[in-house]
Amino acid sequence: MARILYLTQIEIDFGAVALLAAECERVGIRRPLVVTDAGVRAAGVLQPALDALGVLPHAVFDQTPSNPTEAAVRAAVEVYRREGCDGLVAVGGGSSIDLGKGVAIAATHEGPLATYATIEGGSAKISERVAPLIAVPTTAGTGSEVARGAIVIVDDGRKLGFHSWNLMPKAALLDPALTLALPPLLTAATGMDAIAHCMETFMAPAVNPPADGIALDGLARGWAHVERATRDGQDREARWNMMSASMQGALAFQKGLGCVHSLSHSLGGVNPRLHHGTLNAVFLPAVVRFNAAAESIRRERRLERMAQAIGLGGCDPEGQELARALNELNARLGLPSGLAAMGVTRDLFERVIDGAMADHCHKTNPRIATRDDYRAMLEASM
């Protein structure tokens, strides 16, 4: 049985943030807590959202860490309750939006956050009581604004996923103007995150033809525009297409992801200073090669279809050309050449493998990896 759900309202265009007050009214938010980070605020990117709220009373929490933590969720919940808030507006990248989802759970549900983690069987415990959330992304990468999940580092150090259709933002306001000032390296890293989502969900074996089509189109858009957006941040066409690619990757990844994310989630938990999108970019080539042997990949010519979408032609059953093109794109974007360049050492491998084997993305890869497989992928990504 294949379940296909698309559940939220999306506005995408320059100036979309101006709809924020009207969207709060539509979903019944009368006093939002605006969740963001200090960098977004300092860059002036938060201000258009605050201006758009107009006279609507609100509070601001601007201490989202680069990888959201349970401690930050608690701090934001304290502000939410103290200020009498009744909903959330997340303005920022995936970290702020994921933190907002964590607050939506913790402000309305009892017990430690890990209680509601997917791998702890907690998804069914996330009820309709969650606080309503509106997402305003300021990067083009995670797609969390249209996703039912969030990633948070809980108190015991694990980087866990939280998934429920109740966590889906009630509205997503995608305004490419908010990404015009994004620095080149962050543009590249978040852009590769979007490309990774499109590619990995297209490789996932679940049956969802609409998601496959959305992912392939998102991949083509992302591949065609990520270098332009990185080279010239004011390229409005490139910024619009990258925001669309990001959104499309997340609409599609309800199919599931795979080993790229199992590894990046785990390594990001071991070292929270590592950027998630950059890790995805580094892991993609090795995972493409590993997945080439999967029966579903070969039967449905998944690698050849992705190669065709990015202009490589359609004959690449082993994924060698695709993996090479990914490495070359990473290099052109100025991203690290491998894990070693990011400061990762081999003594971390066993801890990373432990986390990858337990990650919620592990079982949705088209080919189930063993510990030795993960070790080989880590080594190939060094």
Side-chain angles (χ1 to χ4, degrees):
M1 185 68 68
R3 176 171 292 177
I4 300 169
L5 298 171
Y6 292 101
L7 297 180
T8 197
Q9 180 165 310
I10 303 165
E11 302 283 353
I12 177 170
D13 206 355
F14 287 88
V17 69
L19 301 171
L20 186 53
E23 286 303 300
C24 284
E25 181 179 4
R26 182 180 67 82
V27 304
I29 299 176
R30 295 177 297 277
R31 189 179 184 89
L33 174 65
V34 179
V35 176
T36 188
D37 65 60
V40 167
R41 186 167 213 167
V45 181
L46 174 65
Q47 197 58 47
L50 298 183
D51 292 344
L53 287 172
V55 299
L56 190 68
H58 61 272
V60 177
F61 178 83
D62 65 0
Q63 297 302 304
T64 302
S66 57
N67 282 281
T69 64
E70 187 171 359
V73 168
R74 281 195 298 271
V77 168
E78 183 179 339
V79 178
Y80 183 94
R81 290 174 174 162
R82 185 181 69 231
E83 299 293 332
C85 297
D86 62 357
L88 297 142
V89 172
V91 182
S95 296
S96 293
I97 299 172
D98 281 8
L99 188 78
K101 292 176 183 177
V103 175
I105 298 170
T108 54
H109 293 66
E110 298 297 323
L113 199 57
T115 305
Y116 304 96
T118 301
I119 65 169
E120 300 291 347
S123 292
K125 301 175 186 176
I126 301 173
S127 73
E128 295 179 351
R129 297 194 313 274
V130 297
L133 169 68
I134 294 172
V136 184
T138 62
T139 64
T142 71
S144 188
E145 69 273 6
V146 294
R148 72 190 189 279
I151 304 295
V152 179
I153 299 175
V154 297
D155 285 340
D156 64 12
R158 291 180 296 165
K159 194 171 188 179
L160 299 183
F162 299 79
H163 297 83
S164 168
W165 291 110
N166 293 319
L167 290 178
M168 178 73 75
K170 302 299 184 184
L173 301 182
L174 279 62
D175 189 339
L178 301 182
T179 70
L180 292 175
L182 203 63
L185 193 58
L186 195 54
T187 297
T190 55
M192 288 305 298
D193 193 17
I195 286 171
H197 290 157
C198 291
M199 294 182 72
E200 192 161 36
T201 197
F202 186 72
M203 290 186 284
V207 176
N208 192 326
D212 286 341
I214 291 168
L216 271 186
D217 183 81
L219 171 58
R221 289 179 189 273
W223 197 277
H225 292 93
V226 66
E227 289 181 77
R228 284 175 52 182
T230 299
R231 184 172 57 250
D232 177 8
Q234 298 300 306
D235 185 331
R236 291 166 67 88
E237 181 183 22
R239 290 297 194 185
W240 193 100
N241 277 280
M242 289 311 301
M243 187 150 270
S244 182
S246 175
M247 174 264 292
Q248 289 173 253
L251 284 178
F253 68 43
Q254 61 173 280
K255 274 186 67 186
L257 293 165
C259 291
V260 171
H261 280 75
S262 297
L263 287 165
S264 60
H265 288 158
S266 182
L267 183 49
V270 171
N271 184 349
R273 293 188 300 274
L274 297 175
H275 187 269
H276 174 71
T278 306
L279 288 174
N280 284 346
V282 169
F283 284 130
L284 257 174
V287 175
V288 163
R289 291 188 179 103
F290 174 72
N291 284 347
E295 192 274 334
S296 62
I297 294 287
R298 290 186 173 276
R299 182 182 66 248
E300 298 171 14
R301 300 181 63 252
R302 295 276 167 171
L303 300 188
E304 295 98 315
R305 291 161 70 186
M306 287 193 294
Q308 189 170 30
I310 65 172
L312 291 181
C315 185
D316 189 26
E318 304 303 322
Q320 296 300 329
E321 292 300 318
L322 194 55
R324 186 178 299 111
L326 283 162
N327 281 321
E328 291 172 353
L329 178 59
N330 287 341
R332 292 196 302 273
L333 292 172
L335 294 174
S337 58
L339 297 175
M342 301 173 71
V344 177
T345 52
R346 289 177 174 83
D347 60 296
L348 300 178
F349 280 11
E350 296 310 310
R351 289 174 61 193
V352 174
I353 294 168
D354 288 343
M357 294 289 290
D359 190 78
H360 62 276
C361 295
H362 169 67
K363 292 183 179 180
T364 53
N365 198 68
R367 181 183 173 196
I368 301 302
T370 66
R371 293 187 68 89
D372 286 343
D373 292 328
Y374 275 127
R375 197 173 293 110
M377 283 183 268
L378 283 164
E379 189 62 49
S381 302
M382 284 297 283

